Amino acid sequence: VIEGATEATYIIASLAAENAGSYKVVVTNTNGASTASTTSTVCTLTVAEPVNWALGQPYTKSVPPTAGGDYMDALRDDTDNKELTDGIVGAPDYWTDYNWVHYIGKPVDVVVDLGEDRVFNAFEIVMMRYNSGGLNITLPSAVNISYSSDNATWQEVHSGSFPTDVTESTAYTYSYRHS
């Protein structure tokens, strides 16, 4: 018995692996002195692991990554538009891990082609915060996520900001889940 499940609809707000299992519905109608009930057949709820639909997908960007300078020569230049969706997340050690693509001092629009219309309820973006050796790389000030079926008309899904109180070097994950 699911506590509180007494309405015509039962919704699990944040579906998780522990919600997987077998369910059945018992419907009871009380009319005067008689009671009637029926029980459904058992149905199974399977909770699938999240899918990264952007993994390996092509994208375009509005500006090229920042490059040049002694300390940036070995950074990924992203000339083939594959680095942002390849699934590789750099460590927050700027001097020994060059798995970051840098956009310094200018906003960038990145459009990822998911290949087909998709329904999604969450996304994550990993950004570097680095503060060591006289180099101070801050998190972006804002993130805006929109979708389009035709690459012309866009609908905003989410607009948010990164925290300003992160001072330690880290690979910061910005997460959004639609509830």
Side-chain angles (χ1 to χ4, degrees), residues 123-125 158 172-177:
F123 65 82
E124 291 184 344
I125 302 170
H158 174 74
Y172 182 85
T173 301
Y174 182 96
S175 298
Y176 169 77
R177 177 168 294 282

Side-chain angles (χ1 to χ4, degrees), residues 52-62 78-87 103 109-116 118 148 151 154:
N52 181 351
W53 285 322
L55 185 64
Q57 292 300 108
Y59 57 88
T60 58
K61 52 194 178 288
S62 60
D78 198 28
T79 56
D80 58 359
N81 292 342
K82 292 182 179 178
E83 280 74 8
L84 295 179
T85 60
D86 64 6
Y103 296 91
D109 292 328
V110 176
V111 178
V112 179
D113 183 352
L114 299 179
E116 63 184 81
R118 301 283 190 173
S148 173
N151 207 21
W154 294 87

Side-chain angles (χ1 to χ4, degrees), residues 66 103-107:
T66 305
Y103 296 91
I104 298 175
K106 53 191 165 192

Side-chain angles (χ1 to χ4, degrees), residues 3 15 17 37 54-55 72 82-83 85 97 106-107 123 133 142-143 161 173 178:
E3 187 74 31
L15 192 62
S37 68
L55 185 64
M72 298 185 85
K82 292 182 179 178
E83 280 74 8
T85 60
D97 188 336
K106 53 191 165 192
F123 65 82
V143 60
S161 58
T173 301
H178 178 71

Side-chain angles (χ1 to χ4, degrees), residues 149-161:
S149 294
D150 59 9
N151 207 21
T153 306
W154 294 87
Q155 176 69 40
E156 185 174 276
V157 174
H158 174 74
S159 179
S161 58

Side-chain angles (χ1 to χ4, degrees), residues 71 94-95 129-138 169:
Y71 63 91
Y94 185 79
W95 299 111
R129 167 68 172 105
Y130 187 80
N131 187 10
S132 184
L135 185 60
N136 185 21
I137 299 173
T138 61
S169 298

